[in-house]
């Protein structure tokens, strides 16, 4: 039974509050920059500490994913005409932008979404993975250090699934 009149409740709440304040925030490593001569389309650190990066080299776009300072778990390049983008159409509450890159039977989509009607709009960034048209994973990105240049990127338009 919880009894707010107990003299121990305020002390317990104070101890809990102090413990929460004393825990240091997890440092987020900034994503690495794209190689010289390439433009960073998207870069972030996921909530599980891995990094994703999409680099525009002109004729190709490259995708890299893995832990910072280690060999990437996944890296591939696609011809620009095989990549696609979704650009917000000016309708609706959420402004959504994405770039999708195919790799074999998989499709990797980096995205940004902002609730334009929120009092303090903050983008939601992440990566979505489909295999043979079936959604298999979605990772959320930390805001700190993220780079997002998806707006008005010159790529073929992504068509929504039927």
């Amino acid at each position: 039974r919880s009894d707010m009149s107990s003299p121990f409740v305020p002390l317990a709440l104070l101890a809990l509050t102090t413990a929460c304040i004393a825990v240091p925030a997890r440092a987020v490593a900034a994503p690495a920059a794209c190689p010289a001569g390439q433009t960073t389309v998207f870069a972030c650190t996921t909530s599980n500490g891995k990094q994703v990066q999409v680099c525009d080299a002109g004729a190709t776009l490259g995708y890299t994913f893995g832990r910072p300072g280690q060999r990437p778990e996944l890296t591939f390049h696609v011809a620009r005409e095989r990549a696609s983008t979704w650009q917000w159409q000016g309708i609706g509450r959420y402004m959504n932008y994405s770039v999708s890159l195919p790799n074999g039977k998989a499709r990797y989509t980096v995205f940004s979404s902002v609730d334009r009607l929120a009092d303090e709009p903050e983008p939601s960034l992440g990566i979505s993975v489909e295999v043979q048209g079936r959604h298999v994973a979605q990772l959320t990105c930390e805001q700190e250090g993220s780079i997002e240049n998806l707006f008005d990127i010159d790529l073929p338009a992504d068509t929504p699934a039927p």
Side-chain angles (χ1 to χ4, degrees):
R1 183 184 137 209
S2 176
D3 182 0
M4 292 304 287
S5 65
S6 166
F8 298 105
V9 171
L11 292 176
L13 289 174
L14 178 61
L16 179 60
T17 304
T18 305
C20 291
I21 292 170
V23 174
R26 183 172 70 88
V28 175
C34 288
Q38 297 184 25
T39 303
T40 302
V41 173
F42 188 90
C44 77
T45 301
T46 65
S47 56
N48 66 1
K50 295 184 181 183
Q51 293 182 343
V52 66
Q53 179 183 66
V54 175
C55 299
D56 185 345
T60 63
L61 277 90
Y63 180 97
T64 305
F65 178 79
R67 293 224 177 265
Q70 296 179 10
R71 185 176 182 181
E73 293 175 31
L74 177 64
T75 186
F76 65 92
H77 294 82
V78 297
R80 181 175 212 86
E81 60 272 7
R82 292 191 57 223
S84 60
T85 185
W86 174 260
Q87 301 286 305
W88 181 57
Q89 303 298 301
I91 300 170
R93 179 176 187 146
Y94 296 94
M95 297 186 305
N96 298 308
Y97 298 92
S98 66
V99 167
S100 296
L101 305 169
N103 184 39
K105 295 179 180 183
R107 175 173 137 141
Y108 297 84
T109 302
V110 294
F111 65 85
S112 169
S113 179
V114 176
D115 179 352
R116 64 188 187 97
L117 300 180
D119 290 336
E120 295 181 33
E122 286 193 33
S124 171
L125 306 171
I127 306 107
S128 179
V129 182
E130 293 178 9
V131 175
Q132 295 182 322
R134 185 170 171 233
H135 183 263
V136 296
Q138 185 159 320
L139 300 172
T140 303
C141 291
E142 303 289 344
Q143 294 294 321
E144 185 179 337
S146 293
I147 300 169
E148 180 268 310
N149 294 311
L150 304 173
F151 174 76
D152 209 23
I153 188 168
D154 185 22
L155 292 172
D158 199 4
T159 53

